[in-house]
Amino acid sequence: MGRRQNDPEATHCSPLVLLLVGLASCALVYAALCVVLKPNEASSFSELESLELVEEGGGVGVEGESGGCCRGTENLELWGAAVKWGSEFKFNSSEQCCKACKAMCTGTDGPCLCDSWVFCGNKEACGSKFGECWLKKQKDTLAPERQEVGETVSWTSGLIFGRGEGIVGLETKYGTLHIKLLPDCAPHSVAYILELLALRHCAGCQFYRAERRGPSWDSEGNHIKNAPFGPPFALVQGTLDAQGVIFKKIPTEVCPTIRRGSVAWIGSGPEFFISLANHEEWKKEYTVFASVLPEDMNIAEKIAQLPTTADVWNSINVSVLEKPVPLFLRRMKTSHGDLTANMKSN
């Protein structure tokens, strides 16, 4: 992985000759194993823990080595029809509240009975409401109702997308990539995607880099024994920096192993990539906020085969599209399946 020229790790010097040699050797190995995603970008691909199927309702992801993702957004109170009243339903943590909502979202034949939760976990600020867990039902999970937001709000809230829910389209001239959002693993990331969705445009959003699987990965994304790890690096890369939107850096969220179909931020966004292969060799750093439905990966493969020009980003050879591919975010009116076939565990 190349680094910015002003990266202190890359420019640190030592008066000891042996230390210099050691550092140079480490730097060469590091560069050989990692991928530069953008010129002058100091981020690297992450070897993220594997996305696993947590429930048949479509929630996916792991946090740590056991259990599923159950994250929410602090200082946010979501509104909606109450399924469970918090005054009579209390827990010790937001994770327990989230899991209670997930327990009501295990069906395979319709929307979840609970698709959002609100928890009050600050003893001082919550007072008598401390521990209250409100389970709710949104009229529109892609446009959840907000009651309050800001530092003075003592509530933490989260969304749960069931099977066939939380799917949006990345529309291109080559077809629409349907992606399943992961709000329980990456709530801040998903909030930004929903913000873009509400704009009804994504001017400036595009794919600008495309690299095939080449001889290193098979059609299912599995690495071929003894093959190099690139280049090419088996990905399509772009930006979701929409004109007219003030982008705020997205905090690092859950980082599973990059799998074929993983959609992840580069650093804190808005640059992102879709992986065409399984990359266990990439180290932890990037947030996976969605996954492409398996049946749409042929569209990503098609983009990866478009004409490119060679470029060098921080000493790494990359392939840049001759003509960037504009993309648009679209709401999906009906369910488009689930990601069960795309989820594999380590």
Side-chain angles (χ1 to χ4, degrees):
M1 165 63 191
R3 294 190 175 100
R4 288 182 295 194
Q5 294 180 355
N6 62 350
D7 191 316
E9 284 189 82
T11 58
H12 180 70
C13 297
S14 168
L16 299 177
V17 174
L18 290 177
L19 182 58
L20 282 173
V21 173
L23 287 174
S25 300
C26 290
L28 288 174
V29 173
Y30 187 65
L33 294 176
C34 301
V35 181
V36 172
L37 299 172
K38 185 180 179 184
N40 299 321
E41 179 70 44
S43 51
S44 67
F45 275 124
S46 52
E47 181 183 347
L48 311 164
E49 300 158 6
S50 139
L51 283 175
E52 294 178 340
L53 188 64
V54 174
E55 58 184 7
E56 292 185 355
V60 293
V62 292
E63 187 153 23
E65 297 181 353
S66 62
C69 303
C70 244
R71 291 192 173 194
T73 302
E74 295 182 352
N75 307 124
L76 169 66
E77 182 183 2
L78 291 178
W79 207 236
V83 178
K84 288 280 189 180
W85 289 73
S87 56
E88 303 170 355
F89 198 62
K90 295 189 175 185
F91 289 105
N92 293 322
S93 70
S94 60
E95 183 179 5
Q96 291 175 316
C97 183
C98 169
K99 288 182 176 179
C101 185
K102 278 191 173 185
M104 301 178 69
C105 188
T106 58
T108 60
D109 57 355
C112 298
L113 297 176
C114 171
D115 54 29
S116 51
W117 53 271
V118 181
F119 177 76
C120 203
N122 185 314
K123 287 185 177 182
E124 183 177 346
C126 295
S128 62
K129 295 182 181 295
F130 174 72
E132 286 192 5
C133 173
W134 292 78
L135 304 187
K136 301 186 176 186
K137 180 71 176 174
Q138 298 293 319
K139 293 180 180 178
D140 183 354
T141 52
L142 294 180
E145 294 184 68
R146 292 187 176 191
Q147 174 69 1
E148 288 185 287
V149 62
E151 294 183 1
T152 60
V153 178
S154 56
W155 299 92
T156 296
S157 299
L159 292 173
I160 302 294
F161 289 151
R163 183 181 295 272
E165 297 182 308
I167 296 174
V168 301
L170 299 180
E171 185 179 281
T172 75
K173 63 186 294 185
Y174 301 100
T176 299
L177 291 153
H178 296 95
I179 64 172
K180 172 83 172 188
L181 299 175
L182 309 175
D184 46 348
C185 295
H188 294 281
S189 302
V190 170
Y192 177 68
I193 300 301
L194 297 186
E195 180 184 352
L196 292 181
L197 201 62
L199 292 177
R200 300 183 181 276
H201 81 82
C202 199
C205 299
Q206 62 180 4
F207 290 112
Y208 54 76
R209 176 186 177 189
E211 302 194 12
R212 307 179 186 188
R213 286 179 283 106
S216 297
W217 292 274
D218 64 23
S219 60
E220 295 182 354
N222 300 310
H223 184 253
I224 297 172
K225 187 177 181 180
N226 297 326
F229 289 102
F233 294 105
L235 60 88
V236 290
Q237 179 178 330
T239 180
L240 291 175
D241 189 9
Q243 296 175 8
V245 177
I246 299 176
F247 180 79
K248 296 181 180 179
K249 290 184 177 181
I250 295 171
T252 300
E253 300 185 280
V254 173
C255 301
T257 300
I258 296 296
R259 297 292 184 185
R260 176 173 166 83
S262 293
V263 187
W265 296 120
I266 297 167
S268 299
E271 314 301 317
F272 77 106
F273 67 90
I274 296 174
S275 180
L276 304 181
N278 303 324
H279 286 288
E280 281 109 1
E281 78 279 10
W282 288 345
K283 297 181 179 180
K284 295 181 180 180
E285 279 184 29
Y286 287 155
T287 296
V288 172
F289 62 89
S291 190
V292 178
L293 299 193
E295 59 265 32
D296 289 342
M297 283 302 295
N298 64 312
I299 299 171
E301 294 277 5
K302 188 183 300 183
I303 294 173
Q305 296 176 30
L306 295 174
T308 60
T309 57
D311 200 353
V312 178
W313 294 354
N314 295 349
S315 302
I316 301 296
N317 295 323
V318 299
S319 299
V320 179
L321 286 167
E322 290 183 358
K323 295 181 179 180
V325 177
L327 62 90
F328 308 90
L329 263 69
R330 296 284 186 252
R331 289 180 63 102
M332 298 295 103
K333 294 182 180 179
T334 57
S335 297
H336 288 263
D338 60 79
L339 292 173
T340 303
N342 205 30
M343 299 298 107
K344 296 180 181 180
S345 60
N346 286 333

